Amino acid sequence: IRAYHDWVRPTTCAPAHFHLFAGLFCVAGAVGRRLRINYSTGGIYPNLYLAILAPSSRFHKSSAQRGVQRLLGGLTAGSNGEGEGTAESPLLPRETTPEAFFDVLAKRPTGVLVWDEMGQQLQRFGRDYMAGTVEFLTEIYDCPEEPMVRRTRKAEWRIDRPCVSIFGASTVDWLENNLTESLMLGGFLPRWLLVPATRAEQFIATPPGLDDAVGDDLKRQLAALREQYPADSITPVDISGIRGPYENWAESVDASVAGGPNEQIMAAWSMRLIPLSLKLAMLFELGSTGEPVVSEESWERARTVADFARGYLDALVNGDDALALTPYQRDRRRVLRVVVSGGCAGVTRAALCRETRIRKRELDEAVDGLLEEQRIAAVAGSKPERG
């Protein structure tokens, strides 16, 4: 993972921590379904749904995905090329109809998807002809043992033991415009590890290309890791050494959610972060020692990442600039932004109506909600009869 970071970091303006998570994703894509942590009635496999979130242009999110495509696309027997779509490449087609997607998974149930714009992909999934695709991706995240059967009026597919990883990139605005409460509470988005960046770290006027020799060496390392674990069996991962610290941390996460703001949404995310921490610990270990055991060091790294993700999710859901998932929430945000922009002078009702362009009834509801929460205050102006 460190070697991957050092390979990609000098070639792009993307934030450094994006490369850490991209390195973890490479490990997840390479080993697929070959290992498992026994957990409850099923298991935790090393697949990831990963999304990097940052404003457009200056953060170079697509370049943060380039190394992943290069390594996993070239992870074929005796090949150093891109290799996307070949029989042995983990990369799956990025834009496709449900029928073509199911056809691919029926033949290759283990693989990775790279979405350079997650928001657009979610919007595409909302169309009628993609109906059911989000639900399908939600189901296969947990790598079910039983076959997945999908039918249309023209065909039927049987997908045995799927294991899919997804690496997406988006802006928060794009994500917000394509999110709904059902996606949040229905389990699709809580399965994602969201990795934000709000500050550009470096600027490279003429970025160099990736070093081919280093890339080839990393491909050999990934291939060796994959070949270490047989494809026709599942190697159990030992977590006995960190079970106590993990359980104490999990209990603290559960306690922090109860009775808090937006409890339902926060619980949906936080309860998914608990097993995700073990998934991350397994990937950290595989990316350093390659052993099927979680050490204290790998667990501490994973716990740190999980706490970081939990803090970001809390800000995303409960912060001053929280995600707006419903029209009412979006109206509240627009009202709050206009009021804040007025500074100490505040803003008149007439100016609020003009600048937000919200209809009177919806504007009244948004203002009343913000007043009740004491996010804003109403004071008498020079013409109080006008509100």
Side-chain angles (χ1 to χ4, degrees), residues 21 283 325:
F21 291 98
L283 289 171
L325 303 176

Side-chain angles (χ1 to χ4, degrees), residues 101-122:
F101 181 49
F102 295 148
D103 191 52
V104 167
L105 287 184
K107 300 171 183 174
R108 288 195 293 149
T110 298
V112 303
L113 294 164
V114 178
W115 295 341
D116 56 0
E117 184 40 72
M118 182 180 173
Q120 291 178 350
Q121 191 68 46
L122 288 177

Side-chain angles (χ1 to χ4, degrees), residues 229 236-241 281-282 285-286 289 291-295 298:
Y229 299 101
V237 176
D238 181 12
I239 64 168
S240 58
M282 173 169 42
E285 191 71 40
L286 290 170
T289 69
E291 296 300 317
V293 61
V294 175
S295 64
S298 292

Side-chain angles (χ1 to χ4, degrees), residues 116-384:
D116 56 0
E117 184 40 72
M118 182 180 173
Q120 291 178 350
Q121 191 68 46
L122 288 177
Q123 189 177 42
R124 191 177 295 120
F125 281 175
R127 297 172 184 167
D128 291 341
Y129 76 89
M130 295 293 283
T133 307
V134 167
E135 290 78 5
F136 174 75
L137 290 172
T138 302
E139 289 183 65
I140 65 172
Y141 172 83
D142 294 316
C143 304
E145 293 291 336
E146 64 277 6
M148 304 287 292
V149 178
R150 283 294 176 268
R151 299 181 179 89
T152 67
R153 284 176 291 182
K154 297 181 179 180
E156 177 177 300
W157 297 267
R158 175 189 169 104
I159 302 167
D160 291 314
R161 302 170 70 235
C163 182
V164 174
S165 291
I166 307 175
F167 188 5
S170 182
T171 65
V172 173
D173 288 342
W174 255 112
L175 196 62
E176 179 178 84
N177 291 336
N178 289 278
L179 278 181
T180 62
E181 283 187 299
S182 63
L183 286 178
M184 293 281 284
L185 299 176
F188 180 63
L189 261 298
R191 284 165 165 77
W192 287 77
L193 175 60
L194 303 182
V195 180
T198 56
R199 179 175 56 86
E201 296 176 3
Q202 67 176 6
F203 173 73
I204 306 175
T206 54
L210 292 168
D211 188 310
D212 289 338
V214 176
D216 290 344
D217 184 59
L218 285 169
K219 272 185 277 190
R220 284 190 289 269
Q221 291 183 47
L222 285 178
L225 179 63
R226 184 167 66 167
E227 292 168 6
Q228 182 177 338
Y229 299 101
D232 56 356
S233 64
I234 298 176
T235 300
V237 176
D238 181 12
I239 64 168
S240 58
I242 55 95
R243 189 177 294 276
Y246 161 73
E247 291 178 350
N248 291 336
W249 174 82
E251 290 172 2
S252 70
V253 172
D254 179 65
S256 69
V257 174
N262 287 303
E263 181 178 354
Q264 191 176 12
I265 292 178
M266 288 302 297
W269 289 95
S270 297
M271 293 305 101
R272 276 288 167 184
L273 271 176
I274 292 174
L276 176 61
S277 68
L278 291 178
K279 188 187 293 270
L280 292 170
M282 173 169 42
L283 289 171
F284 272 118
E285 191 71 40
L286 290 170
S288 54
T289 69
E291 296 300 317
V293 61
V294 175
S295 64
E296 292 183 11
E297 183 178 3
S298 292
W299 160 245
E300 283 301 317
R301 289 175 175 173
R303 181 194 58 77
T304 300
V305 171
D307 284 340
F308 159 76
R310 192 156 56 103
Y312 177 64
L313 291 173
D314 182 62
L316 206 61
V317 174
N318 300 315
D320 290 339
D321 206 26
L323 274 180
L325 303 176
T326 65
Y328 169 69
Q329 290 173 330
R330 294 186 183 101
D331 289 345
R332 290 174 76 256
R333 172 183 284 187
R334 288 159 68 185
V335 168
L336 190 60
R337 284 177 174 172
V338 171
V339 173
V340 169
S341 69
C344 295
V347 62
T348 65
R349 168 78 67 157
L352 195 60
C353 183
R354 181 175 63 252
E355 294 189 35
T356 61
R357 298 183 180 180
I358 301 174
R359 290 182 300 181
K360 182 181 184 305
R361 178 178 176 181
E362 284 76 13
L363 180 62
D364 289 344
E365 290 178 353
V367 169
D368 290 344
L370 290 168
L371 287 169
E372 185 177 346
E373 296 174 17
Q374 297 184 346
R375 302 290 297 279
I376 62 174
V379 296
S382 58
K383 298 181 179 179

